[in-house]
Amino acid sequence: MLKAGSPRGAPRNARLTAVDITAPVLRLILRRSDHFLALKSSFRHSWSRMDTMVWLGVFAIVSSGLVHGELESETDSRRLPPPEKLDFGYVPAGVYETLAHYEPGPIGILFQLVHAFLHVVQPNPFPHDLAVTLAKDKFTALQREYQKVIYYELGFVVCAALGLLFTVLVPLVGLFFCLCRCCDNCGGEMHQRQRKNADCQRGLLGTLLFSTSLVITIGVLCAYASNQTLSSQVKNIRRLVNTNMRDLHTFANDTPMQIDYLISQYATAKNKVLYDLDNIGPLLGGRIHDQLDKEVHPALNQVLNMAGAMRETKEALENVSGSLVILKDGAGKLNFNLSLVRTSINRTLNDPGCHDEDSDATTAQLCQNIRQSLSQLQISANFTRLPNVRPQLEKVNEVLKTDLSEVVQRGYSALNDTPHLVIEQTRSVADSVRILLDGIGKNITKFSKVFPVQSSLNNFTIFLSHAHAKIEDYYPDIDQMDFYRWAACIGLCCMIVLVLAFNYLGLLCGTLGYDKHASPTTRGCISNTGGTMLMAGVGFSFIFSWVLMGVVTILFVTGGNMEKLVCEAFHTRELLKVVDTPYLINREWKNFLPGYMYNDSELDLTVESFYSTCKENKGIYSALRLDKVFNITSFLNTSTFTKDVVDELDTVKIDLRTIILLEAEGKQNLLDFSEAGLSEINHADYLEEVNKGVTAVDLLSYAGELEAQTDLMPRGHLQSSLKGHIGTLRQIHSQQVVSMEQGMSALNQSMRYLERTSSDLPNKVLAVLEAIEAAQFLISQNATNLVRQQSKKYTATIVGYFNQYIEWVKMSLLEEVAQCKPFSNIMDTAEILSCSFVADSMNAFWMGLGCSTLFLLPSIILAVKLAKYYRRMDTEDVYDDIETFPMKTMEIGNNGYHCERAQGIPNPMMTSIPSYDTMNRFPRASAPPRHIDW
């Protein structure tokens, strides 16, 4: 097949055809080379003429192939690559600063603990239906749905009830506890009974109180860290708001530039169309050429093959003519030489040794046999009766005066010139399309100015500036409120810290001032101070704990519900689904967002879809369904822009009747070749004579037999003479018979080739001419449909560039132009401020504060019990042996120091006190030991 789009010269297959033609000729020459070499040795001058003619023919054929190759290289240089997909580049995208993601750091562990605790308290999923019902009725349905509310809030209700119970009972218990101690009960009596395990109990109580104080400390530290975290995060509000505002300004400023970029990229499609118009020849003409080549190339190939057959026929006729002359001359010489040999042998056989009476009978018989065999020494083939092929050779030479290959090349060139023909015939259409392209570009620019994008964005920018200014006005109030909140939280923490301070100081003083040799009434001042501090901590615990628990309960109910109903619902999008509930915000609007923006609540646009689309950083056009306002599909309709271009390209008319595949000269050349008389050659006579052989008997065999008979003769003149004749026969065979055999072989091959070529030659030529006529008819008469089909494909390619541009614009508007990530960032920022900053910190604060408050209860109990072991008692249990150690009573003087005195005696002395005087011996002591147990 011809290579598509080649404007001139033969295509690749044409070159291959020339090589294919050359190959058989070379093979024929190689097959005959051995015979030609033999002929050359005998007939040098004849061979030189034939050698020159053959190589001239080969050079002509190879040169034809090289011409095809040169034409093909020129064709490749004219061929253009197929059109590729258009590259419109990337829409310039704005860089948004806001990172709507919050990492709390190490305190995040505390936040996760709070979330886990809230999940245990409230494991129920978000009550979507209940929330929608309450929101629709503006919470008037709470009376009907209170059971569902209580069921959902059951965990919070139970915890809040326990907190309220704690808040109410603790001050009451503290009041009664104080009254009880004032009555010297509930551990208020300043007497401590002695026990053997007192040291163990004191150590255990101290350890438990210290552990409890550590837990309370950890809780206070968590509450303090949460309070500080919230204060530091409040300072980040300004940064988050500023970055969001800057992103919105970037969104407003970059959108016009992005739209201008979309409009400017029309030049890419336009330039590609102009490129195809400038190369309409290789593109449209190349396609037409490819389709025609499928039918035309085989026909031209047949003609080219026939041209090669003409040259090979000429060579074969020259070989036959030359070989025939040589063989006739050689046959005459061989016949003459064989006659001389026969005469000489007859003369030798007349020797007396063959027929004398004295001769041997065997010798005579041998001579008789030799004489009878001499008739075989003659030539077998009669070349003189074969007619000469000179008339046919002259006709073929006359035919070859017209270079049929060159005529075929002109046909190839005419066919390959189709692209240039298309260029010339479509020049006016291409100019008209160029004018239309400029008009389309102007229309696109004009239509883009119709919609008030710039004015809307300017108004949006002004709105942002005013909103930002108003937000800036709130920053001082926010900072002041945060300071008050921080101070209040610090005050709450200080309440617990005060209790912890008394606990730690009491433990420190009690431990350092403890003396194991001192009795309860003789304990030191430091130890007594430690016990007093522990009791002071108990008092402050009763004073502060109910206040702390009340605050914790309020914060727990508020922050816990905020986390479960707002924060978690936002993360799972349940909150957005509630907002998107049909007819919730406005009973006349199915969907709030499109109803508010476009007054069309039936439009499938929800807050959740808007948030999700912007979260993926897609265009505002797809996020807000702006096709409701500006339908880009109807505006960017391909037919709107390309109708005039298609109509203009449909007017393309291409006339291919100027393409002539084979001129009349070439057709006549083929007819002359068919009438060259090749069929008149009597191939059978030639082949008959060639197959006979050179001589009637093989001279070498005959010489061998003659030599065998001669060897049987006695030595003498007869034998030596016959030996000489045998050598002459062998010399004739080597010098004449061998070369003639080679000539006959070459003649045989040439004649067989001529027989094949001349067989039905007129019909073969007629078939070639019919193929050429059919191809010519296709080009001249039936190419209209082909041209129309290829023109439609070319038009579709041109329209395809516009389609690519329009589809790219649509996709860019949906994905890349005015990317609405700032709007989802605003919602995420609001979630970070309310949940990550406020709710998490507030929840962590109440959790730490609540944990500390709860552990104040065991701290009260342990501190009260441990104070007994640290404080100095008014009385004590003393156990003395009555026989050896009279008992004495230890009292504490008014000055607080120990003093010893006997009962009623100014100086201490040993006295015996009756066992029944328990009131004086053990005042307010319960169950004193009996006298017999002392």
Side-chain angles (χ1 to χ4, degrees):
M1 293 176 62
L2 292 175
K3 190 168 183 178
S6 301
R8 60 171 63 91
R12 179 177 300 174
N13 289 341
R15 182 178 62 180
L16 294 176
T17 302
V19 174
D20 292 338
I21 294 173
T22 306
V25 177
L26 294 177
R27 287 196 298 268
L28 178 62
I29 294 172
L30 292 175
R31 285 198 303 267
R32 300 171 183 172
S33 60
D34 53 343
H35 307 301
F36 288 163
L37 289 174
L39 290 173
K40 183 177 179 181
S41 62
S42 300
F43 315 107
R44 184 177 303 276
H45 298 291
S46 298
W47 169 255
S48 298
R49 180 172 59 85
M50 294 172 62
D51 188 18
T52 303
M53 293 175 65
V54 169
W55 288 107
L56 283 176
V58 173
F59 177 76
I61 295 173
V62 174
S63 298
S64 175
L66 293 177
V67 170
H68 284 299
E70 293 174 358
L71 292 174
E72 182 198 19
S73 63
E74 182 181 356
T75 298
D76 292 338
S77 65
R78 292 283 301 275
R79 176 57 54 86
L80 297 172
E84 298 178 357
K85 186 177 181 180
L86 299 181
D87 182 12
F88 298 101
Y90 297 96
V91 177
V95 179
Y96 298 134
E97 301 179 30
T98 303
L99 295 177
H101 180 69
Y102 174 66
E103 288 293 340
I107 201 171
I109 299 174
L110 180 59
F111 294 164
Q112 292 177 2
L113 290 176
V114 174
H115 295 163
F117 175 74
L118 289 176
H119 180 71
V120 173
V121 173
Q122 175 53 284
N124 299 321
F126 180 78
H128 180 273
D129 296 336
L130 180 60
V132 171
T133 302
L134 295 177
K136 280 186 177 181
D137 297 337
K138 298 181 180 179
F139 295 94
T140 58
L142 186 60
Q143 296 178 354
R144 302 192 311 269
E145 304 292 342
Y146 72 93
Q147 293 181 345
K148 295 181 179 179
V149 175
I150 293 175
Y151 175 78
Y152 177 77
E153 295 285 340
L154 184 61
F156 287 103
V157 170
V158 172
C159 291
L162 292 176
L164 291 176
L165 186 63
F166 183 98
T167 304
V168 174
L169 291 180
V170 166
L172 294 177
V173 171
L175 178 61
F176 288 114
F177 181 72
C178 291
L179 294 175
C180 184
R181 287 184 65 86
C182 289
C183 297
D184 289 337
N185 292 313
C186 302
E189 56 182 344
M190 299 300 292
H191 172 80
Q192 186 177 15
R193 300 179 62 180
Q194 295 288 345
R195 292 182 174 84
K196 295 180 179 181
N197 60 349
D199 291 338
C200 181
Q201 288 182 355
R202 179 188 56 78
L204 176 61
L205 291 174
T207 302
L208 292 177
L209 180 60
F210 180 75
S211 301
T212 304
S213 298
L214 284 180
V215 174
I216 297 173
T217 303
I218 293 173
V220 172
L221 290 177
C222 291
Y224 177 78
S226 301
N227 184 44
Q228 293 299 115
T229 300
L230 180 55
S231 295
S232 63
Q233 290 167 345
V234 169
K235 295 180 176 61
N236 289 330
I237 293 177
R238 186 188 301 268
R239 178 184 61 81
L240 282 175
V241 172
N242 290 340
T243 56
N244 276 278
M245 289 298 173
R246 284 196 297 270
D247 288 346
L248 290 174
H249 280 284
T250 301
F251 167 82
N253 295 332
D254 289 348
T255 298
M257 178 182 62
Q258 293 171 340
I259 294 176
D260 292 339
Y261 181 81
L262 296 186
I263 296 173
S264 66
Q265 285 304 304
Y266 168 74
T268 301
K270 175 185 175 181
N271 292 335
K272 186 60 178 176
V273 173
L274 291 176
Y275 176 83
D276 284 4
L277 289 175
D278 293 338
N279 296 278
I280 191 173
L283 294 176
L284 177 58
R287 293 186 183 129
I288 296 174
H289 173 271
D290 290 343
Q291 296 300 320
L292 292 177
D293 184 62
K294 295 177 182 178
E295 301 294 335
V296 173
H297 179 74
L300 290 177
N301 219 22
Q302 292 180 28
V303 179
L304 200 60
N305 290 336
M306 192 60 70
M310 290 179 184
R311 289 187 289 269
E312 291 191 4
T313 300
K314 174 191 173 184
E315 295 170 7
L317 288 173
E318 288 176 345
N319 292 338
V320 170
S321 180
S323 298
L324 188 60
V325 172
I326 294 172
L327 289 175
K328 285 182 179 180
D329 183 52
K333 293 180 180 180
L334 178 60
N335 188 36
F336 175 75
N337 291 332
L338 290 178
S339 300
L340 291 178
V341 171
R342 287 198 306 271
T343 303
S344 298
I345 292 176
N346 278 325
R347 188 181 300 114
T348 299
L349 293 177
N350 291 329
D351 187 91
C354 288
H355 50 79
D356 286 349
E357 294 178 357
D358 297 333
S359 61
D360 187 6
T362 303
T363 301
Q365 184 63 37
L366 292 173
C367 290
Q368 183 64 27
N369 294 337
I370 292 172
R371 186 177 290 109
Q372 291 177 357
S373 65
L374 289 177
S375 61
Q376 298 178 8
L377 294 177
Q378 60 181 355
I379 62 174
S380 176
N382 184 12
F383 297 106
T384 58
R385 75 181 186 90
L386 298 177
N388 201 340
V389 294
R390 180 63 59 181
Q392 289 81 5
L393 180 59
E394 292 176 354
K395 291 181 180 180
V396 172
N397 287 332
E398 187 67 24
V399 169
L400 288 177
K401 288 182 180 180
T402 300
D403 191 351
L404 185 58
S405 297
E406 182 180 354
V407 176
V408 174
Q409 292 307 315
R410 289 199 293 269
Y412 277 125
S413 298
L415 180 63
N416 293 335
D417 202 41
T418 302
H420 180 72
L421 186 65
V422 171
I423 292 175
E424 294 299 328
Q425 296 184 12
T426 58
R427 193 178 301 277
S428 60
V429 175
D431 294 338
S432 300
V433 173
R434 290 187 181 93
I435 297 174
L436 291 175
L437 291 176
D438 295 334
I440 293 174
K442 294 178 182 178
N443 290 334
I444 292 177
T445 304
K446 182 174 63 176
F447 283 137
S448 65
K449 303 299 181 182
V450 172
F451 302 96
V453 176
Q454 188 63 51
S455 61
S456 300
L457 292 174
N458 290 336
N459 295 334
F460 179 69
T461 304
I462 295 173
F463 169 76
L464 288 178
S465 300
H466 288 304
H468 196 188
K470 290 183 179 180
I471 294 174
E472 292 282 349
D473 295 338
Y474 286 109
Y475 287 147
D477 296 335
I478 293 174
D479 293 338
Q480 187 176 11
M481 292 174 61
D482 180 66
F483 173 75
Y484 293 150
R485 179 208 55 79
W486 176 84
C489 292
I490 290 296
L492 294 174
C493 292
C494 288
M495 293 179 183
I496 299 180
V497 170
L498 181 62
V499 175
L500 288 174
F502 283 120
N503 285 350
Y504 286 127
L505 290 175
L507 287 171
L508 181 63
C509 293
T511 302
L512 295 177
Y514 174 73
D515 184 3
K516 65 180 180 178
H517 299 291
S519 64
T521 56
T522 61
R523 289 171 181 156
C525 181
I526 296 177
S527 176
N528 186 59
T529 301
T532 303
M533 287 185 177
L534 290 179
M535 292 308 298
V538 171
F540 283 112
S541 297
F542 279 115
I543 294 173
F544 296 145
S545 60
W546 68 276
V547 177
L548 295 173
M549 184 54 69
V551 173
V552 167
T553 302
I554 295 173
L555 293 179
F556 165 73
V557 174
T558 304
N561 280 284
M562 185 176 178
E563 172 66 28
K564 299 298 291 186
L565 296 176
V566 178
C567 299
E568 286 188 7
F570 182 83
H571 285 294
T572 59
R573 309 287 176 88
E574 290 292 335
L575 187 62
L576 299 181
K577 292 178 181 178
V578 172
V579 177
D580 291 331
T581 302
Y583 310 107
L584 176 64
I585 299 177
N586 190 317
R587 295 187 182 276
E588 297 179 356
W589 290 345
K590 179 180 179 180
N591 293 317
F592 163 73
L593 196 58
Y596 176 77
M597 296 183 63
Y598 311 127
N599 199 23
D600 182 11
S601 64
E602 298 296 328
L603 185 65
D604 186 16
L605 173 62
T606 61
V607 176
E608 182 185 6
S609 65
F610 171 73
Y611 173 76
S612 301
T613 305
C614 291
K615 190 75 173 178
E616 297 173 1
N617 202 21
K618 294 185 178 180
I620 194 71
Y621 184 84
S622 60
L624 287 180
R625 293 292 305 274
L626 291 178
D627 54 332
K628 179 68 177 178
V629 179
F630 172 40
N631 191 351
I632 192 66
T633 303
S634 60
F635 172 68
L636 295 177
N637 192 347
T638 307
S639 60
T640 303
F641 296 99
T642 61
K643 181 178 182 302
D644 295 337
V645 175
V646 173
D647 293 342
E648 191 65 32
L649 291 175
D650 286 342
T651 62
V652 171
K653 303 295 181 184
I654 300 175
D655 187 5
L656 302 178
R657 286 178 293 181
T658 57
I659 299 176
I660 304 299
L661 297 179
L662 188 63
E663 300 171 356
E665 180 183 11
K667 297 177 183 178
Q668 186 60 44
N669 187 259
L670 289 173
L671 293 174
D672 292 342
F673 178 64
S674 66
E675 298 173 356
L678 296 179
S679 60
E680 299 175 358
I681 299 175
N682 193 344
H683 307 93
D685 291 345
Y686 273 90
L687 295 176
E688 180 184 356
E689 295 300 328
V690 168
N691 293 329
K692 288 181 179 180
V694 180
T695 57
V697 66
D698 184 13
L699 292 184
L700 290 179
S701 300
Y702 182 82
E705 294 176 358
L706 183 59
E707 186 177 17
Q709 294 177 359
T710 303
D711 289 338
L712 297 176
M713 294 181 182
R715 295 182 179 273
H717 176 71
L718 177 61
Q719 186 183 39
S720 60
S721 297
L722 290 175
K723 291 281 188 180
H725 296 317
I726 292 170
T728 301
L729 287 175
R730 288 175 174 167
Q731 184 178 5
I732 291 173
H733 180 271
S734 61
Q735 293 181 355
Q736 292 183 282
V737 174
V738 172
S739 60
M740 288 186 66
E741 286 178 347
Q742 294 175 351
M744 291 174 67
S745 176
L747 179 61
N748 182 36
Q749 293 183 12
S750 298
M751 189 54 60
R752 291 189 180 278
Y753 174 78
L754 291 174
E755 184 181 21
R756 291 193 303 270
T757 302
S758 61
S759 176
D760 203 19
L761 180 60
N763 291 332
K764 293 179 182 178
V765 172
L766 183 60
V768 172
L769 292 175
E770 289 177 352
I772 286 293
E773 290 296 335
Q776 187 66 54
F777 183 79
L778 171 65
I779 293 175
S780 302
Q781 304 298 329
N782 292 341
T784 305
N785 292 332
L786 174 62
V787 171
R788 185 182 299 109
Q789 292 175 359
Q790 298 305 321
S791 297
K792 288 182 178 179
K793 291 181 180 179
Y794 178 79
T795 302
T797 302
I798 298 297
V799 174
Y801 298 140
F802 289 100
N803 287 333
Q804 289 188 47
Y805 171 68
I806 290 171
E807 291 300 322
W808 174 77
V809 169
K810 292 179 181 178
M811 187 58 62
S812 298
L813 282 175
L814 295 175
E815 301 287 343
E816 300 179 54
V817 175
Q819 293 174 325
C820 62
K821 184 71 172 178
F823 295 96
S824 66
N825 284 343
I826 291 176
M827 300 179 68
D828 291 335
T829 300
E831 184 271 335
I832 291 174
L833 295 179
S834 60
C835 295
S836 299
F837 285 5
V838 177
D840 284 346
S841 298
M842 183 173 62
N843 289 334
F845 179 79
W846 64 249
M847 187 174 187
L849 195 66
C851 179
S852 299
T853 304
L854 286 176
F855 275 88
L856 286 178
L857 294 180
S859 174
I860 291 172
I861 298 172
L862 294 173
V864 170
K865 287 184 173 292
L866 186 61
K868 278 280 189 178
Y869 293 92
Y870 291 161
R871 298 179 68 187
R872 185 184 302 124
M873 299 289 103
D874 292 339
T875 62
E876 63 176 327
D877 293 338
V878 178
Y879 303 96
D880 295 332
D881 191 348
I882 191 170
E883 294 180 356
T884 58
F885 300 101
M887 191 181 98
K888 60 183 177 180
T889 301
M890 301 298 297
E891 293 184 355
I892 300 176
N894 295 330
N895 56 3
Y897 292 94
H898 294 278
C899 62
E900 279 186 10
R901 64 179 179 88
Q903 297 288 344
I905 302 175
N907 294 322
M909 54 182 296
M910 294 294 185
T911 59
S912 177
I913 300 177
S915 60
Y916 54 82
D917 190 7
T918 60
M919 295 301 296
N920 293 326
R921 180 62 177 162
F922 303 107
R924 294 189 296 276
S926 59
R930 291 175 300 173
H931 181 72
I932 59 176
D933 295 331
W934 290 4

